[in-house]
Amino acid sequence: MFHYDFRPRGVCSQAIHVDLSDDGTTIEGVTFEGGCNGNLKAIGKLVKGQPVDQIANILDGNTCGPRRTSCADQLSHALREAQAAARV
């Protein structure tokens, strides 16, 4: 398993913790620090076991109110960064 910590920008959550399979293709777990606790725990449950590319594409560009980003959008960035780091 590969672990990656991401610092989101422009949202309420302060950190996103990502666990990927060793080859970086599958999400093994996601947890958030801060933000909307119930919603973010639900996102973590929904994405577990899913392909990184699929989830990153679905969540990319999701907004929150007047913001240009959201915790879900920031998760898409976290997943892509984690995947790139896992492949190094």
Side-chain angles (χ1 to χ4, degrees), residues 4-5 7 14 17 24-25 28 31 46-47 63 75 77 85:
Y4 189 79
D5 295 317
R7 177 96 27 214
Q14 294 110 16
H17 307 290
T25 62
E28 293 194 3
T31 57
L46 289 169
V47 302
T63 59
L75 176 57
H77 297 283

Side-chain angles (χ1 to χ4, degrees), residues 22-65:
D22 288 334
D23 64 0
T25 62
T26 305
I27 302 167
E28 293 194 3
V30 170
T31 57
F32 292 80
E33 287 182 31
C36 302
N37 188 31
N39 290 332
L40 297 176
K41 280 195 255 182
I43 288 175
K45 290 179 179 182
L46 289 169
V47 302
K48 186 175 182 177
Q50 299 300 314
V52 170
D53 292 334
Q54 178 183 350
I55 297 302
N57 288 336
I58 289 170
L59 299 179
D60 185 47
N62 191 71
T63 59
C64 181

